[in-house]
């Protein structure tokens, strides 16, 4: 019943979406606002409809309807209730419904805004949003149906369809296979929704951009209207990536948080173009330049978002041939090609109209530096994109698969990241339009001197690795420049208004949240960079098999193997849990419990590290192997990860900065900066 | 004459461009090979895990995609690591061991495609694209600058202007 309801409602939602597209286009053709208004209501209706469908799946998941293929594959009787609910996005078909639900929520939210000033954009925004939604709904309904039941053929084989095929019997197992144990971590529960939220919220700026291109309203209006959408999208994408990193660190058991896995890169690519867009869009707002480029960036972000979903959902990553065999692979490919082609054709049609209003006067002006920033982000994007698709091309052309792994990405993107750090150091000090070496020099010399003090300190501390020295010096430079910017602003306000320094700082940031939110984000990046350099350059590891009471040494740490217990748990796990004592410089610092959980239902092991975490470093222990019966010997792998916690701390600061920048202003409209008048107007 | 000089400039730019692309590809992407001396056969039990992992960390088994061999927990990967230990005990070098696995399972076992034949593209395209991008950005900047009249020489200093601008903005929002 619930399955039929959910599936039926999905079909109705698809029809409503198609109606919305048709009504909007018809309204445009006939110049009849009635039809456009009707399309608006259709778009508004999609959210409650998909909510019913999503709730139907959740009901089926929670009540254990294992005759439903999706429910069988992602839940089991022993799973706690909250995991049964979050299993909605634990499998492909459910996650696509969840994607549609979020998309419809954002599309509905857009319909509720005041459209009086932007009436002509509305029909096209509706069309773009609903075309995207309809595409995903079609995937769910026709190819990845989460409501499909299982039926058993006479041969014992199982098939999944909505209705009973001839010659089959209903198949209703008493228990399911359970959620992939790797997905039971809190980080993994929140990580997919965050990424999806990021993905779907980028549809809105894209829809406005397309509407602007079609209607010819190519001024800054579409950017002003979508500024907060872009920031919110970027916030969620960033949050999703950070949570994904934390999940990998806690669950995957390889001592790191980022493995340059194609699935990670799939989510990272829209973030790269989104970040470039957030910077580049400022040039358009302040100077009326780069209008074409901003259009291209928002189109790229949208299509990379679809491409990311395609990469992870089509099976193309395991083999280019599985892409050809999968039903949704070619469809995704066609959709991406279509949207990219149509969007770019629209940009070329408005090419002349999108000409810059102003000219640049200085190679050190802020617009120039933002342009270089965009170049670097695009450079990283090219490395990522090419690294992900090259194995597929290689398989297609030479019939041989190759692996493009972390060493390639690290070497290729490392210099680009360092260059970006350097830009973060000087760009805040450069002004719009005109900046000279002298003016930058005057502003930067104090932070630079402070950063050289840090560099000297690092050298005295014995650090000699060139990469680490360069990276740490740059992070210090960015930190000092950013703090100096806060200081200069607060001091100016204190002197002119007589406010205390903390109050001046607070009011300063409050009055220009975008600028100072951006600076807070930069500080977050600095902290994250500190952690990344720590683990990339200074990580050490060792592995060894030791007897009970034996020890392993890594740097100034010693770990002794105290005991190991093996037991079954109520939720169908077999747990092997070791107890080890950790000593630092001969001093006892704590007991850790690295363990290996074996999930009987899914027959999957999961390695959970024992970690001693401080701001200085992590001592990270993995239980690799042990003697099954006597437990007299066990193999441990230990990592020393210096500064890694600064990645997570930096992540918090990063997200806080984004919230500051995106926080609504009292007037309900995005904050408008006055047009630059002076020769050296700052952001 | 002007056309000649333009052509020569273009030629020079093209040459620089190719040179830089080649240089970037060669320096950034291609790892130097480290040859190791052959050692006599020893008991595999004496080969430390760290020596095995040093090789395994740059390898992937064909089944466990995206999980480096040194940290993969499957039985198959465990056996691969033991094979590496065995080959090390036989005195094989890192290159020889990797070559053995490549021969058995193809290039995909390596963390990076070997820089030969079609694989060169993976190393050449990103720096090539970056240099093209940099060239375009440079051209765009130049064209913008060329079309702009010279700025007044008596520009205000950055600090004066900063304070003045900040005050203006804050005044508007007060």
């Amino acid at each position: 019943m619930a399955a039929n309801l959910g599936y039926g409602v999905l079909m109705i939602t698809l029809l409503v979406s198609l109606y919305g597209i048709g009504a909007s286009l018809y309204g445009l053709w006939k110049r009849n606002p009635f039809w456009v208004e009707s399309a608006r209501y259709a778009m508004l209706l999609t959210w409650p409809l998909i909510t019913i469908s999503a709730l139907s799946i959740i009901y089926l998941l929670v009540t254990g309807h294992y005759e439903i293929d999706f429910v069988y594959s992602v839940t089991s009787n022993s799973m706690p209730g909250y995991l049964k609910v979050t299993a909605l996005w634990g499998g492909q078909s459910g996650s696509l419904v969840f994607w549609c639900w979020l998309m419809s929520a954002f599309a509905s939210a857009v319909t509720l805004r005041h459209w009086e000033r932007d009436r002509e954009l509305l029909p096209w925004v509706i069309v773009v949003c609903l075309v995207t939604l309809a595409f995903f709904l079609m995937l769910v309904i026709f190819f990845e149906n989460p409501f499909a039941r299982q039926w058993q053929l006479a041969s014992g084989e199982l098939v999944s369809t909505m209705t009973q095929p001839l010659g089959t019997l209903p198949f209703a197992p008493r228990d399911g296979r359970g959620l992939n144990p790797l997905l039971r971590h809190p980080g993994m529960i929140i990580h997919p929704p965050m990424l999806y939220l990021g993905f779907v919220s980028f549809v809105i700026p894209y829809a406005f951009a397309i509407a602007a291109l079609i209607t010819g309203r190519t001024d800054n209006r579409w950017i002003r209207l979508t500024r907060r959408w872009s920031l919110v999208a970027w916030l969620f994408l960033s949050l999703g990536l950070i949570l994904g990193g934390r999940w990998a660190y806690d669950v995957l058991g390889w001592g790191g948080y980022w493995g340059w896995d194609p699935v990670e890169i799939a989510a990272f690519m829209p973030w790269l173009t989104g970040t470039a867009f957030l910077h580049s869009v400022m040039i358009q707002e302040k100077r009326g330049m780069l209008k074409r480029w901003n259009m291209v960036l928002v189109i790229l972000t949208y299509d990379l978002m679809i491409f990311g979903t395609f990469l992870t959902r089509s099976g193309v990553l395991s083999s280019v041939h599985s892409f050809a065999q999968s039903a949704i692979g070619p469809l995704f490919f066609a959709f991406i090609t279509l949207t990219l082609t149509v969007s770019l054709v629209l940009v070329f049609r408005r090419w002349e109209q999108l000409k810059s209003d102003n000219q640049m006067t200085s190679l050190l002006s802020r617009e120039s530096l933002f342009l270089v920033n965009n170049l670097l982000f695009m450079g990283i994007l090219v490395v990522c994109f090419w690294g992900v698709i090259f194995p597929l091309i290689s398989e297609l052309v030479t019939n041989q698969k190759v692996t493009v792994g972390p060493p390639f990405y690290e070497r290729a993107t490392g210099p680009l990241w360092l260059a970006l750090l350097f830009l973060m150091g000087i760009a805040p000090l450069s002004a719009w339009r005109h900046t000279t070496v002298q003016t930058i020099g005057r502003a930067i010399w104090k932070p630079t001197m402070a950063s050289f003090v840090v560099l000297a300190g690092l050298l005295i501390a014995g650090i000699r690795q060139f990469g680490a020295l360069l990276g740490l010096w740059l992070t210090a430079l960015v930190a000092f420049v950013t703090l100096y910017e806060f200081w200069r602003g607060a001091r100016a306000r204190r002197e002119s208004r007589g406010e205390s320094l903390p109050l001046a700082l607070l009011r300063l940031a409050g009055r220009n949240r975008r600028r100072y939110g951006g600076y807070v984000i930069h500080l977050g990046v600095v902290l994250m960079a500190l952690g990344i350099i720590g683990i990339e350059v200074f990580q050490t590891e060792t592995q060894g098999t030791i007897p009970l009471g034996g020890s392993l040494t890594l740097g100034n740490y010693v770990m002794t193997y105290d005991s190991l217990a093996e037991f079954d748990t109520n939720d169908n796990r077999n747990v092997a849990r070791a107890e080890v004592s950790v000593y630092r410089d001969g001093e006892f610092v704590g007991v850790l419990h690295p363990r290996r959980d074996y999930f009987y239902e899914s027959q999957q092991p999961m390695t959970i590290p024992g970690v001693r975490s401080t701001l200085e470093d992590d001592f990270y222990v993995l239980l690799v192997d042990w003697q099954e019966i006597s437990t007299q010997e066990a193999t441990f792998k230990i990592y020393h990860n210096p500064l890694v916690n600064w990645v997570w701390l930096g992540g918090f600061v990063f997200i806080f900065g984004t919230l500051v920048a995106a926080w609504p202003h009292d007037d309900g409209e995005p904050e408008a900066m006055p047009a630059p008048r002076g020769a050296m107007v700052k952001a | 004459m002007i056309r000649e000089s333009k052509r020569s400039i273009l030629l020079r730019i093209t040459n620089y461009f190719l040179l830089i692309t080649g240089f970037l590809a060669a320096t950034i992407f291609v790892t130097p090979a480290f040859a190791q001396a052959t050692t006599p056969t020893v008991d595999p039990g004496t080969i430390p895990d760290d020596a095995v992992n040093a090789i395994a960390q740059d390898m992937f088994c064909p089944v466990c995609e995206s999980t480096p061999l040194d940290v993969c927990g499957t039985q198959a990967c465990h056996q691969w690591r033991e094979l590496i230990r065995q080959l090390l005990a036989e005195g094989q070098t890192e290159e020889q061991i990797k070559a053995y696995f490549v021969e058995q399972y193809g290039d995909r076992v390596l963390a990076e495609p070997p820089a030969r034949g079609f694989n060169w593209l993976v190393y050449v395209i990103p720096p090539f694209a970056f240099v093209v991008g940099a060239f375009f950005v440079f051209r765009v900047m130049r064209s913008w600058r060329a079309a702009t009249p010279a700025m007044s020489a008596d520009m205000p200093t950055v600090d004066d202007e900063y304070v003045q601008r900040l005050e203006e903005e804050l005044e508007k929002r007060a």
Side-chain angles (χ1 to χ4, degrees), chain A residues 302-323:
Chain A
Y302 172 83
D303 274 306
L304 282 170
M305 177 265 289
I306 307 279
F307 181 69
T309 319
F310 157 72
L311 277 182
T312 49
R313 298 290 165 210
S314 66
V316 69
L317 288 173
S318 49
S319 166
V320 73
H321 303 301
S322 70
F323 152 71

mmCIF file of all heavy atoms in Angstrom, chain A residues 302-323:
data_model
loop_
_atom_site.group_PDB
_atom_site.id
_atom_site.type_symbol
_atom_site.label_atom_id
_atom_site.label_comp_id
_atom_site.label_asym_id
_atom_site.label_seq_id
_atom_site.Cartn_x
_atom_site.Cartn_y
_atom_site.Cartn_z
ATOM 1 N N TYR A 302 26.939 23.840 -12.457
ATOM 2 C CA TYR A 302 25.703 23.045 -12.590
ATOM 3 C C TYR A 302 26.001 21.701 -13.256
ATOM 4 O O TYR A 302 25.623 20.639 -12.755
ATOM 5 C CB TYR A 302 24.685 23.840 -13.412
ATOM 6 C CG TYR A 302 23.441 23.058 -13.780
ATOM 7 C CD1 TYR A 302 22.389 22.935 -12.877
ATOM 8 C CD2 TYR A 302 23.316 22.449 -15.019
ATOM 9 C CE1 TYR A 302 21.249 22.223 -13.204
ATOM 10 C CE2 TYR A 302 22.178 21.728 -15.361
ATOM 11 C CZ TYR A 302 21.144 21.625 -14.458
ATOM 12 O OH TYR A 302 20.020 20.909 -14.779
ATOM 13 N N ASP A 303 26.720 21.748 -14.371
ATOM 14 C CA ASP A 303 26.954 20.501 -15.097
ATOM 15 C C ASP A 303 27.939 19.590 -14.372
ATOM 16 O O ASP A 303 27.840 18.368 -14.480
ATOM 17 C CB ASP A 303 27.396 20.791 -16.538
ATOM 18 C CG ASP A 303 26.178 20.980 -17.428
ATOM 19 O OD1 ASP A 303 25.320 20.087 -17.431
ATOM 20 O OD2 ASP A 303 26.059 22.026 -18.081
ATOM 21 N N LEU A 304 28.861 20.173 -13.611
ATOM 22 C CA LEU A 304 29.761 19.323 -12.812
ATOM 23 C C LEU A 304 28.995 18.655 -11.681
ATOM 24 O O LEU A 304 29.323 17.547 -11.260
ATOM 25 C CB LEU A 304 30.920 20.147 -12.247
ATOM 26 C CG LEU A 304 32.026 20.469 -13.246
ATOM 27 C CD1 LEU A 304 33.004 21.482 -12.652
ATOM 28 C CD2 LEU A 304 32.787 19.211 -13.658
ATOM 29 N N MET A 305 27.976 19.355 -11.201
ATOM 30 C CA MET A 305 27.126 18.775 -10.165
ATOM 31 C C MET A 305 26.387 17.552 -10.738
ATOM 32 O O MET A 305 26.358 16.484 -10.126
ATOM 33 C CB MET A 305 26.161 19.865 -9.681
ATOM 34 C CG MET A 305 25.161 19.457 -8.670
ATOM 35 S SD MET A 305 23.620 19.006 -9.447
ATOM 36 C CE MET A 305 23.004 20.576 -10.010
ATOM 37 N N ILE A 306 25.842 17.699 -11.942
ATOM 38 C CA ILE A 306 25.169 16.558 -12.587
ATOM 39 C C ILE A 306 26.213 15.478 -12.909
ATOM 40 O O ILE A 306 25.980 14.282 -12.733
ATOM 41 C CB ILE A 306 24.463 16.999 -13.899
ATOM 42 C CG1 ILE A 306 23.523 18.187 -13.638
ATOM 43 C CG2 ILE A 306 23.721 15.824 -14.540
ATOM 44 C CD1 ILE A 306 22.192 17.871 -13.087
ATOM 45 N N PHE A 307 27.378 15.931 -13.372
ATOM 46 C CA PHE A 307 28.448 15.001 -13.740
ATOM 47 C C PHE A 307 28.901 14.189 -12.516
ATOM 48 O O PHE A 307 29.156 12.982 -12.614
ATOM 49 C CB PHE A 307 29.626 15.800 -14.313
ATOM 50 C CG PHE A 307 30.797 14.956 -14.754
ATOM 51 C CD1 PHE A 307 30.687 14.123 -15.857
ATOM 52 C CD2 PHE A 307 31.992 14.994 -14.074
ATOM 53 C CE1 PHE A 307 31.765 13.340 -16.273
ATOM 54 C CE2 PHE A 307 33.076 14.222 -14.474
ATOM 55 C CZ PHE A 307 32.957 13.389 -15.576
ATOM 56 N N GLY A 308 28.979 14.866 -11.359
ATOM 57 C CA GLY A 308 29.367 14.185 -10.120
ATOM 58 C C GLY A 308 28.369 13.093 -9.773
ATOM 59 O O GLY A 308 28.747 11.982 -9.407
ATOM 60 N N THR A 309 27.085 13.423 -9.907
ATOM 61 C CA THR A 309 26.046 12.427 -9.630
ATOM 62 C C THR A 309 26.146 11.287 -10.643
ATOM 63 O O THR A 309 26.016 10.114 -10.291
ATOM 64 C CB THR A 309 24.647 13.083 -9.698
ATOM 65 O OG1 THR A 309 24.717 14.366 -9.086
ATOM 66 C CG2 THR A 309 23.617 12.259 -8.994
ATOM 67 N N PHE A 310 26.412 11.652 -11.888
ATOM 68 C CA PHE A 310 26.567 10.652 -12.953
ATOM 69 C C PHE A 310 27.735 9.703 -12.644
ATOM 70 O O PHE A 310 27.611 8.482 -12.756
ATOM 71 C CB PHE A 310 26.793 11.404 -14.276
ATOM 72 C CG PHE A 310 27.496 10.617 -15.350
ATOM 73 C CD1 PHE A 310 26.836 9.585 -16.011
ATOM 74 C CD2 PHE A 310 28.788 10.912 -15.723
ATOM 75 C CE1 PHE A 310 27.481 8.865 -17.007
ATOM 76 C CE2 PHE A 310 29.439 10.204 -16.720
ATOM 77 C CZ PHE A 310 28.781 9.175 -17.362
ATOM 78 N N LEU A 311 28.860 10.294 -12.237
ATOM 79 C CA LEU A 311 30.052 9.475 -11.953
ATOM 80 C C LEU A 311 29.773 8.449 -10.861
ATOM 81 O O LEU A 311 30.174 7.298 -10.959
ATOM 82 C CB LEU A 311 31.204 10.365 -11.481
ATOM 83 C CG LEU A 311 32.063 11.057 -12.528
ATOM 84 C CD1 LEU A 311 33.171 11.833 -11.843
ATOM 85 C CD2 LEU A 311 32.671 10.073 -13.505
ATOM 86 N N THR A 312 29.072 8.907 -9.811
ATOM 87 C CA THR A 312 28.877 8.020 -8.677
ATOM 88 C C THR A 312 27.694 7.082 -8.864
ATOM 89 O O THR A 312 27.592 6.083 -8.162
ATOM 90 C CB THR A 312 28.672 8.833 -7.387
ATOM 91 O OG1 THR A 312 27.691 9.840 -7.643
ATOM 92 C CG2 THR A 312 29.952 9.516 -6.961
ATOM 93 N N ARG A 313 26.796 7.419 -9.767
ATOM 94 C CA ARG A 313 25.579 6.618 -9.895
ATOM 95 C C ARG A 313 25.534 5.704 -11.115
ATOM 96 O O ARG A 313 24.703 4.813 -11.175
ATOM 97 C CB ARG A 313 24.339 7.538 -9.937
ATOM 98 C CG ARG A 313 24.146 8.353 -8.692
ATOM 99 C CD ARG A 313 23.740 7.484 -7.531
ATOM 100 N NE ARG A 313 23.897 8.175 -6.267
ATOM 101 C CZ ARG A 313 24.175 7.585 -5.118
ATOM 102 N NH1 ARG A 313 24.353 6.299 -5.061
ATOM 103 N NH2 ARG A 313 24.291 8.272 -4.005
ATOM 104 N N SER A 314 26.396 5.946 -12.100
ATOM 105 C CA SER A 314 26.251 5.186 -13.347
ATOM 106 C C SER A 314 27.107 3.934 -13.391
ATOM 107 O O SER A 314 26.973 3.124 -14.296
ATOM 108 C CB SER A 314 26.633 6.085 -14.521
ATOM 109 O OG SER A 314 28.005 6.389 -14.451
ATOM 110 N N GLY A 315 28.011 3.790 -12.452
ATOM 111 C CA GLY A 315 28.910 2.632 -12.486
ATOM 112 C C GLY A 315 30.067 2.848 -13.427
ATOM 113 O O GLY A 315 30.891 1.955 -13.636
ATOM 114 N N VAL A 316 30.168 4.032 -14.013
ATOM 115 C CA VAL A 316 31.209 4.305 -15.007
ATOM 116 C C VAL A 316 32.604 4.218 -14.383
ATOM 117 O O VAL A 316 33.569 3.894 -15.071
ATOM 118 C CB VAL A 316 30.968 5.687 -15.668
ATOM 119 C CG1 VAL A 316 31.208 6.809 -14.698
ATOM 120 C CG2 VAL A 316 31.836 5.867 -16.893
ATOM 121 N N LEU A 317 32.691 4.468 -13.080
ATOM 122 C CA LEU A 317 34.012 4.487 -12.454
ATOM 123 C C LEU A 317 34.642 3.102 -12.389
ATOM 124 O O LEU A 317 35.854 2.961 -12.496
ATOM 125 C CB LEU A 317 33.927 5.078 -11.049
ATOM 126 C CG LEU A 317 33.685 6.588 -11.006
ATOM 127 C CD1 LEU A 317 33.457 7.050 -9.579
ATOM 128 C CD2 LEU A 317 34.836 7.353 -11.620
ATOM 129 N N SER A 318 33.793 2.072 -12.202
ATOM 130 C CA SER A 318 34.380 0.738 -12.126
ATOM 131 C C SER A 318 34.781 0.268 -13.517
ATOM 132 O O SER A 318 35.775 -0.422 -13.683
ATOM 133 C CB SER A 318 33.425 -0.237 -11.457
ATOM 134 O OG SER A 318 32.165 -0.141 -12.032
ATOM 135 N N SER A 319 34.025 0.637 -14.509
ATOM 136 C CA SER A 319 34.418 0.303 -15.880
ATOM 137 C C SER A 319 33.607 1.133 -16.846
ATOM 138 O O SER A 319 32.418 1.356 -16.648
ATOM 139 C CB SER A 319 34.169 -1.174 -16.156
ATOM 140 O OG SER A 319 34.236 -1.406 -17.532
ATOM 141 N N VAL A 320 34.252 1.569 -17.901
ATOM 142 C CA VAL A 320 33.541 2.346 -18.910
ATOM 143 C C VAL A 320 32.467 1.483 -19.561
ATOM 144 O O VAL A 320 31.456 1.981 -20.038
ATOM 145 C CB VAL A 320 34.542 2.920 -19.941
ATOM 146 C CG1 VAL A 320 35.077 1.847 -20.863
ATOM 147 C CG2 VAL A 320 33.934 4.054 -20.742
ATOM 148 N N HIS A 321 32.650 0.166 -19.532
ATOM 149 C CA HIS A 321 31.671 -0.723 -20.154
ATOM 150 C C HIS A 321 30.414 -0.845 -19.291
ATOM 151 O O HIS A 321 29.318 -1.005 -19.817
ATOM 152 C CB HIS A 321 32.292 -2.095 -20.392
ATOM 153 C CG HIS A 321 33.527 -2.009 -21.237
ATOM 154 N ND1 HIS A 321 33.504 -1.475 -22.510
ATOM 155 C CD2 HIS A 321 34.819 -2.330 -20.993
ATOM 156 C CE1 HIS A 321 34.741 -1.485 -23.005
ATOM 157 N NE2 HIS A 321 35.554 -1.994 -22.100
ATOM 158 N N SER A 322 30.599 -0.750 -17.978
ATOM 159 C CA SER A 322 29.408 -0.822 -17.133
ATOM 160 C C SER A 322 28.546 0.420 -17.332
ATOM 161 O O SER A 322 27.337 0.395 -17.148
ATOM 162 C CB SER A 322 29.782 -0.982 -15.663
ATOM 163 O OG SER A 322 30.360 0.197 -15.179
ATOM 164 N N PHE A 323 29.208 1.513 -17.742
ATOM 165 C CA PHE A 323 28.447 2.726 -18.067
ATOM 166 C C PHE A 323 27.529 2.444 -19.251
ATOM 167 O O PHE A 323 26.347 2.791 -19.250
ATOM 168 C CB PHE A 323 29.413 3.864 -18.400
ATOM 169 C CG PHE A 323 28.894 4.904 -19.345
ATOM 170 C CD1 PHE A 323 27.918 5.789 -18.946
ATOM 171 C CD2 PHE A 323 29.362 4.974 -20.650
ATOM 172 C CE1 PHE A 323 27.432 6.755 -19.815
ATOM 173 C CE2 PHE A 323 28.886 5.931 -21.522
ATOM 174 C CZ PHE A 323 27.912 6.819 -21.105
#
